[in-house]
Amino acid sequence: DVKALVVDDNAVNLMVASNVLMQYGIEVEEADSGSMAIKKYYENDDFDLIFMDYLMPDMNGVETIRNIRNLKRNKESILIALSANVTDDIVEAFASVGAHHVMAKPLELKELSEVLKRYLPEEKFVREDKIKEKSEQSSEDVTADKEDVKSILYRVKGLNVEKGLANVMGVMETYVKVLNVCCTNITEQAEYIKAAYKLVSLGGLKIYFHSLKGILANIGAMELSEFSKNMEIASRDQNEAYIKENVVSYIEKIESFRDNLQWAIDEYKKITESDMFETHKSM
């Protein structure tokens, strides 16, 4: 009986965080902007937890929390801030508006468990042996028929499948859904970068590189996530030479990665559709 509101402007980040929380038995609502989060909180203040992203286009997480605090509703939610870069400045900024804790993205499960135990009442938890029993049963169901999918994903260069799976608590179906949304996100963000490169200031590109950094980290594409981080820093610091030297290569790399990932997803669909056909035929 725990309810959480997850706030992030990126669909992949929302999917990953929401699915992890749902694995804990938490009921989740999502908001893709600060303004939507404020609206949802105003309409329903029954959230035990609010997970708030830091960098968002309309208003950042600090401003959103400040507005939520000013609503002074009946129930005070536990406010957990999320950031791809947890710096002292970000921690201080969130603390100044009453956030209880700041976590790095993607969510690290050990830290998340500790945060939940720290801030939620003891009666909200069930016994660990029941969780383990459910987890083992789920693991058996997945392992039995998803090895073919894993073998396909291993062929995507630059994708750390085990790391990506760990970010969604090992649930293959969720991981494939996240990968599918990731392909769309990469296409959108790459097009924004191409269009904006010569039309906006270098600082204006930062949000696109930041978004891709988080998307790629969530699925386990760590090398490309690090490249995105370097591009984000260069944009923030107005390092025009670095951007000019690397932007073409960067776009080529992420689009090539997306194409390979899309191929793997299409192969996955063939396998699952074939399995469904065989099952129907045997019936």
Side-chain angles (χ1 to χ4, degrees), residues 30-187:
E30 297 177 350
D32 62 6
S33 68
S35 56
M36 180 180 286
I38 293 166
K39 180 176 183 292
K40 289 205 168 193
Y41 184 77
Y42 179 77
E43 292 173 347
N44 177 16
D45 65 350
D46 195 29
F47 295 111
D48 299 279
L49 301 157
I50 298 178
F51 289 84
M52 181 68 64
D53 185 34
Y54 172 57
L55 192 57
M56 297 182 288
D58 64 336
M59 68 178 81
N60 68 33
V62 174
E63 295 169 319
T64 306
I65 287 179
R66 183 182 292 113
N67 280 286
I68 284 173
R69 287 290 197 194
N70 288 338
L71 289 175
K72 296 187 177 3
R73 305 292 281 169
N74 295 325
K75 184 173 185 175
E76 184 176 331
S77 304
I78 300 300
L79 293 156
I80 310 298
L82 304 175
S83 177
N85 302 314
V86 179
T87 64
D88 290 342
D89 288 345
I90 289 174
V91 171
E92 288 173 13
F94 274 115
S96 72
V97 293
H100 295 82
H101 193 83
V102 181
M103 293 183 67
K105 296 192 300 184
L107 295 176
E108 203 279 316
L109 299 183
K110 183 179 179 182
E111 183 185 4
L112 177 60
S113 293
E114 290 171 354
V115 167
L116 294 176
K117 288 177 182 177
R118 178 178 177 184
Y119 291 109
L120 290 175
E122 189 174 342
E123 63 267 20
K124 295 287 187 180
F125 293 89
V126 297
R127 289 174 50 175
E128 282 192 8
D129 57 349
K130 292 188 180 295
I131 296 173
K132 184 178 179 183
E133 182 183 324
K134 180 181 177 183
S135 175
E136 287 173 350
Q137 181 62 48
S138 174
S139 177
E140 289 172 7
D141 293 342
V142 171
T143 305
D145 60 353
K146 294 305 177 186
E147 287 305 315
D148 286 344
V149 178
K150 275 181 124 178
S151 67
I152 291 168
L153 294 177
Y154 284 137
R155 293 165 66 181
V156 180
K157 186 177 179 182
L159 182 66
N160 185 328
V161 177
E162 301 304 331
K163 190 169 186 63
L165 269 171
N167 288 338
V168 292
M169 299 185 77
V171 182
M172 180 61 77
E173 288 81 0
T174 300
Y175 187 43
V176 173
K177 287 177 184 176
V178 169
L179 293 177
N180 196 40
V181 175
C182 176
C183 287
T184 302
N185 272 207
I186 288 175
T187 300

Side-chain angles (χ1 to χ4, degrees), residues 172-264:
M172 180 61 77
E173 288 81 0
T174 300
Y175 187 43
V176 173
K177 287 177 184 176
V178 169
L179 293 177
N180 196 40
V181 175
C182 176
C183 287
T184 302
N185 272 207
I186 288 175
T187 300
E188 291 173 350
Q189 300 299 326
E191 291 303 316
Y192 289 148
I193 291 168
K194 291 177 193 174
Y197 175 52
K198 295 184 178 180
L199 299 176
V200 301
S201 68
L202 292 181
L205 292 170
K206 181 177 71 172
I207 188 71
Y208 308 124
F209 295 125
H210 175 83
S211 180
L212 282 165
K213 176 184 69 178
I215 292 167
L216 294 163
N218 267 315
I219 65 169
M222 304 314 296
E223 186 177 330
L224 283 175
S225 178
E226 188 65 22
F227 196 176
S228 302
K229 179 181 177 180
N230 292 337
M231 295 294 280
E232 178 190 4
I233 292 170
S235 299
R236 181 197 67 198
D237 296 343
Q238 300 287 307
N239 188 343
E240 186 174 359
Y242 184 89
I243 296 291
K244 281 186 174 180
E245 182 181 350
N246 291 283
V247 69
V248 173
S249 170
Y250 175 79
I251 290 171
E252 286 176 353
K253 283 178 183 291
I254 61 170
E255 289 187 332
S256 174
F257 174 79
R258 175 208 57 201
D259 292 344
N260 290 333
L261 192 57
Q262 189 62 62
W263 168 84

Side-chain angles (χ1 to χ4, degrees), residues 267-280:
E267 291 299 307
Y268 163 79
K269 289 177 181 176
K270 289 178 187 176
I271 290 173
T272 53
E273 286 169 3
S274 174
D275 287 347
M276 287 174 66
F277 176 75
E278 290 299 325
T279 303
H280 179 73

